[in-house]
Amino acid sequence: MRLNEQTLLEGHKVVLVPYKKYHVPRYHEWMKSPELQQLTASEPLTMDQEYEMQKSWHLDDNKLTFIVLDKVKWQDPDISEEDSMCGDVNLFFNDADDSSVAEIEIMIAEPSCRGKGFGKEVLLLMMQYGISKLSVSKYVAKIGMENQVSIKMFTKLGFSQVSISEVFQEVTLDYSITDEVKGQLAQQTSHMITQQYAKTIGDVCHGSED
């Protein structure tokens, strides 16, 4: 989705930036991991296929993607943006009956970035962005049954279990966005700074890149 191609979201611990070509090599390395393949129900791709996937995601009106950066590393002028990468977060708009329903998916790929509260902040920032920019009225999350850490995190944030699929070994949760929830999310993300995306501080804007 091109909506966020020039958007950077800054939180306390993380920074969300649009998925660009120069992020692909690090992303490709992540997805060689059997653990991440299992958790994301993904098949390994070649580098060329990964570049094609990045391009298709960028152009797909039903998918919104941000790359997650470790803010401490991102702020260090000696560390590149690619070396600050720690995961990604996605919204999928695949409900044919209701375009305001979004499936939300998060991956904290770098082991050193886990257990630091990054996932929670990423979800809150992404949910607030989806509500304010895409009028999302309900979020859905599908999580592997073995991924109890993620299930617990989503539940703590207000998601409720809808169903369990023994066939796909996954749990489906959802979260309806009421006026009360909007107020809570706005308060929880009041620290979020939205700005025009540039690859590095002081660099020219890279928002026009695919």
Side-chain angles (χ1 to χ4, degrees):
M1 188 179 289
R2 301 183 73 103
L3 173 70
N4 68 324
E5 66 181 355
Q6 297 185 37
T7 301
L8 178 151
L9 306 178
E10 181 181 345
H12 288 315
K13 300 179 179 182
V14 298
V15 175
L16 307 186
V17 299
Y19 186 24
K20 301 291 185 177
K21 289 179 180 177
Y22 40 80
H23 296 131
V24 170
R26 174 57 63 88
Y27 191 93
H28 181 63
E29 286 299 313
W30 287 341
M31 298 316 297
K32 291 179 181 178
S33 162
E35 176 195 10
L36 291 179
Q37 290 172 20
Q38 180 182 6
L39 290 175
T40 60
S42 302
E43 295 293 330
L45 303 176
T46 66
M47 183 69 83
D48 287 342
Q49 288 173 326
E50 207 74 78
Y51 277 113
E52 286 300 314
M53 186 68 75
Q54 180 274 330
K55 183 178 181 180
S56 70
W57 289 356
H58 175 64
L59 299 175
D60 190 341
D61 289 336
N62 293 322
K63 182 182 174 80
L64 183 88
T65 300
F66 280 103
I67 291 293
V68 181
L69 309 179
D70 180 332
K71 184 176 177 178
V72 172
K73 293 181 179 179
W74 174 75
Q75 291 178 318
D76 188 331
D78 295 325
I79 300 177
S80 70
E81 181 171 296
E82 290 84 342
D83 287 334
S84 303
M85 291 170 60
C86 60
D88 75 335
V89 60
N90 308 292
L91 293 182
F92 303 94
F93 294 87
N94 296 324
D95 190 322
D97 298 320
D98 191 345
S99 61
S100 70
V101 175
E103 181 180 341
I104 189 165
E105 177 184 273
I106 180 174
M107 175 180 71
I108 301 299
E110 289 290 337
S112 63
C113 295
R114 297 171 186 168
K116 296 182 177 180
F118 285 12
K120 177 182 178 181
E121 185 173 48
V122 170
L123 281 175
L124 291 173
L125 297 180
M126 190 62 153
M127 289 170 67
Q128 178 62 18
Y129 184 81
I131 291 168
S132 62
K133 298 298 183 181
L134 292 160
S135 302
V136 174
S137 66
K138 182 167 73 174
Y139 286 103
V140 176
K142 297 180 180 179
I143 306 171
M145 291 170 62
E146 79 287 351
N147 194 351
Q148 290 298 314
V149 173
S150 288
I151 293 172
K152 185 176 181 180
M153 178 179 69
F154 275 82
T155 302
K156 279 189 173 182
L157 288 177
F159 282 74
S160 300
Q161 182 174 305
V162 176
S163 63
I164 297 176
S165 171
E166 296 293 343
V167 175
F168 295 106
Q169 287 291 292
E170 68 180 14
V171 177
T172 298
L173 307 99
D174 71 13
Y175 194 12
S176 294
I177 307 302
T178 62
D179 287 340
E180 181 180 2
V181 170
K182 286 182 181 179
Q184 292 172 349
L185 279 171
Q187 184 175 19
Q188 289 172 304
T189 59
S190 60
H191 63 287
M192 180 173 68
I193 299 171
T194 303
Q195 56 186 291
Q196 187 176 34
Y197 174 65
K199 186 177 179 182
T200 57
I201 297 174
D203 197 3
V204 296
C205 180
H206 288 260
S208 61
E209 295 189 23
D210 289 337

